[in-house]
Amino acid sequence: MATTINSTIEGRLDREISSFLKQSRLEDYHIELNKAVTYEDFLSNKMLIIVAIRTGIPYSLFGLIQAYTPFTENDWANFLDISTKSLQRYKTTAEHHFKPIHSEKIIEMAEVTKVGLDVFGSMEKLRLWLTTPNYALGSLKPIELLKDSYGKELVISELTRINYGILV
């Protein structure tokens, strides 16, 4: 059941990313797209990420990313350093685009989710790992480190080590 939900969200993410990028000013960055871009393609293309950050992630895309990640609304409010009330208000505003600073954080959390799913294979296992104190991360919960980019890099590095079988 969870796999079906994830695949449905993935399909919607693919469509939303393609639509968003078509509306972005890619020519300003000398980027030409000859095909629809998938969510996976997007997360592996740093130039497209830069365009998205500078354009500002629309709430419609954020809502799908939020549904796809293992993070709660409170987690997102904490990561973005805004209140849950603001997040709820943005949801009701049809064309809200996040500021570049928030857009960057949204994409960072999408990257953490992608790497975590590659390592653990399921959202439940990733969520458990994120909320369990980790000796290699100073006995902190990985989710506690995701508020800033240095902490995010530590979490991704630890996920990479786990993926290669290097345990502390």
Side-chain angles (χ1 to χ4, degrees):
M1 177 82 167
T3 307
T4 308
I5 292 169
N6 280 349
S7 62
T8 302
I9 293 172
E10 287 171 4
R12 291 176 58 201
L13 273 167
D14 290 346
R15 288 188 297 280
E16 187 68 29
I17 283 287
S18 277
S19 172
F20 168 64
L21 290 173
K22 285 177 188 168
Q23 296 168 7
S24 299
R25 298 180 53 157
L26 296 175
E27 64 277 357
D28 290 353
Y29 300 90
H30 308 289
I31 299 172
E32 189 175 314
L33 296 178
N34 297 323
K35 63 177 180 114
V37 177
T38 66
Y39 182 63
E40 183 109 5
D41 295 338
F42 170 73
L43 288 178
S44 63
N45 187 322
K46 297 297 183 195
M47 286 305 291
L48 291 179
I49 289 173
I50 289 168
V51 171
I53 289 168
R54 292 180 180 176
T55 302
I57 298 289
Y59 190 92
S60 57
L61 178 55
F62 167 71
L64 291 171
I65 292 172
Q66 183 183 27
Y68 187 68
T69 63
F71 308 116
T72 65
E73 188 171 54
N74 285 335
D75 293 334
W76 279 106
N78 184 39
F79 298 149
L80 299 174
D81 202 23
I82 58 178
S83 69
T84 54
K85 280 211 180 261
S86 290
L87 274 179
Q88 292 164 359
R89 190 174 58 252
Y90 296 161
K91 188 178 195 174
T92 62
T93 309
E95 291 300 315
H96 178 78
H97 279 66
F98 286 90
K99 295 176 184 175
I101 190 84
H102 296 140
S103 295
E104 186 170 4
K105 182 53 74 176
I106 291 165
I107 292 170
E108 285 180 350
M109 295 306 100
E111 290 174 318
V112 167
T113 301
K114 180 186 179 311
V115 173
L117 285 175
D118 288 346
V119 172
F120 294 110
S122 82
M123 200 63 74
E124 293 76 26
K125 289 178 183 175
L126 172 58
R127 187 177 290 114
L128 178 63
W129 183 81
L130 286 167
T131 57
T132 302
N134 187 304
Y135 181 77
L137 298 173
S139 296
L140 294 172
K141 296 174 184 175
I143 199 166
E144 296 171 340
L145 294 169
L146 294 177
K147 188 162 170 92
D148 54 68
S149 59
Y150 289 101
K152 179 212 103 173
E153 289 302 320
L154 284 173
V155 169
I156 289 200
S157 294
E158 183 59 21
L159 284 168
T160 303
R161 282 191 288 279
I162 292 169
N163 204 28
Y164 286 105
I166 305 167
L167 301 173
V168 176

